[in-house]
């Protein structure tokens, strides 16, 4: 079976599986923060499979480059532009007809938006202005994973919430500088 990694209980079950299968290759589907941190934490043969053309969507290029170097230093096999279309009993198949031995597989990819947001955006993240106001809608704001202001992380969502509360408390002044994501920590493992 493919393991999903979303909750603390998922992590506990995954740890049991890793302990029981110390020699198996680990395939991590998704090169977002969770997938990258897991890949760097494991001390074994790891393959990261990502459908997008780069790792860490929404992070700065400086962070992406530093993490890519770290992945190389740990000999982690990174497969970009590689969309998984099927997971079989002993294989992973991709849209470009590649097949990988399944080994132990952990699916960490994807931030799923609520159906209402998918219906409004066609599945894309919401476009917001510098005040996190949804473009084209007066007095409707978006924070967290559903908007495109920085990476889809808890750190960014928290900063957006703090900014928006301060913006509201100031009476929505247009003279404010607007929201800008500032990384307060990096996911580099070493």
């Amino acid at each position: 079976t493919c393991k999903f990694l979303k909750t603390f209980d998922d992590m506990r079950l995954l740890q049991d599986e890793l302990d029981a299968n110390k020699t198996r290759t680990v395939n991590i589907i998704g090169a977002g923060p969770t997938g990258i941190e897991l890949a760097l934490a494991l001390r074994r043969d790891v393959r990261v499979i990502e459908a997008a053309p780069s790792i860490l969507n929404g992070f700065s290029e400086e962070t992406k480059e530093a993490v890519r170097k770290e992945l190389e230093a740990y000999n982690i096999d990174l497969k970009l532009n590689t969309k998984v279309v099927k997971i079989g009993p002993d294989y992973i198949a991709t849209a470009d007809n590649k097949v990988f031995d399944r080994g132990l597989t952990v699916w960490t990819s994807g931030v799923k938006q609520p159906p209402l947001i998918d219906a409004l955006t066609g599945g894309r993240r919401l476009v917001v202005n510098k005040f996190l106001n949804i473009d084209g809608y007066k007095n409707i704001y978006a924070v967290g994973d559903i908007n495109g202001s920085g990476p889809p992380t808890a750190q960014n969502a928290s900063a957006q919430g703090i900014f928006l509360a301060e913006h509201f408390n100031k009476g929505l002044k247009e003279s404010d500088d607007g929201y800008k994501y500032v990384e307060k920590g990096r996911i580099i493992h070493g």
Side-chain angles (χ1 to χ4, degrees):
T1 62
C2 177
K3 304 291 182 190
F4 288 81
L5 186 55
K6 281 286 193 187
T7 67
F8 185 74
D9 288 336
D10 292 343
M11 186 61 191
R12 190 175 296 137
L13 292 170
L14 176 61
Q15 186 62 54
D16 293 344
E17 184 81 18
L18 289 167
D19 290 345
N21 298 284
K22 292 189 184 295
T23 60
R24 291 171 73 187
T25 297
V26 178
N27 292 293
I28 299 172
I29 302 172
T34 303
I36 295 297
E37 285 194 33
L38 179 60
L40 291 170
L42 295 173
R43 300 287 185 239
R44 60 177 74 209
D45 187 18
V46 176
R47 176 184 302 121
V48 177
I49 303 170
E50 171 58 49
S54 71
I55 63 173
L56 300 172
N57 182 32
F59 281 78
S60 70
E61 287 305 315
E62 177 187 29
T63 297
K64 289 179 184 183
E65 183 58 30
V67 171
R68 275 192 294 267
K69 288 178 182 175
E70 186 125 356
L71 292 170
E72 288 174 15
Y74 280 86
N75 294 315
I76 292 171
D77 185 15
L78 181 60
K79 304 292 185 191
L80 299 176
N81 292 310
T82 306
K83 182 179 180 181
V84 172
V85 294
K86 185 174 183 181
I87 298 178
D90 58 357
Y91 67 91
I92 297 171
T94 66
D96 57 352
N97 298 317
K98 292 179 183 157
V99 178
F100 302 109
D101 175 40
R102 195 185 84 198
L104 175 60
T105 301
V106 182
W107 195 291
T108 67
S109 67
V111 176
K112 185 161 177 51
Q113 299 186 129
L116 173 62
I117 302 302
D118 279 342
L120 291 172
T121 67
R124 296 178 311 277
R125 291 171 78 192
L126 292 170
V127 176
V128 295
N129 65 20
K130 69 180 185 173
F131 300 108
L132 305 178
N133 179 239
I134 299 172
D135 283 352
Y137 295 90
K138 186 176 181 177
N139 298 324
I140 300 177
Y141 298 82
V143 297
D145 298 344
I146 63 171
N147 85 35
S149 296
T153 63
Q155 181 186 114
N156 187 33
S158 175
Q160 290 172 351
I162 291 167
F163 167 81
L164 202 54
E166 290 172 356
H167 184 59
F168 289 163
N169 289 336
K170 291 178 185 175
L172 305 173
K173 291 183 181 173
E174 290 294 320
S175 61
D176 288 347
D177 290 337
Y179 178 76
K180 181 172 169 57
Y181 176 66
V182 177
E183 292 174 4
K184 293 186 177 172
R186 298 191 181 197
I187 59 173
I188 299 172
H189 179 69

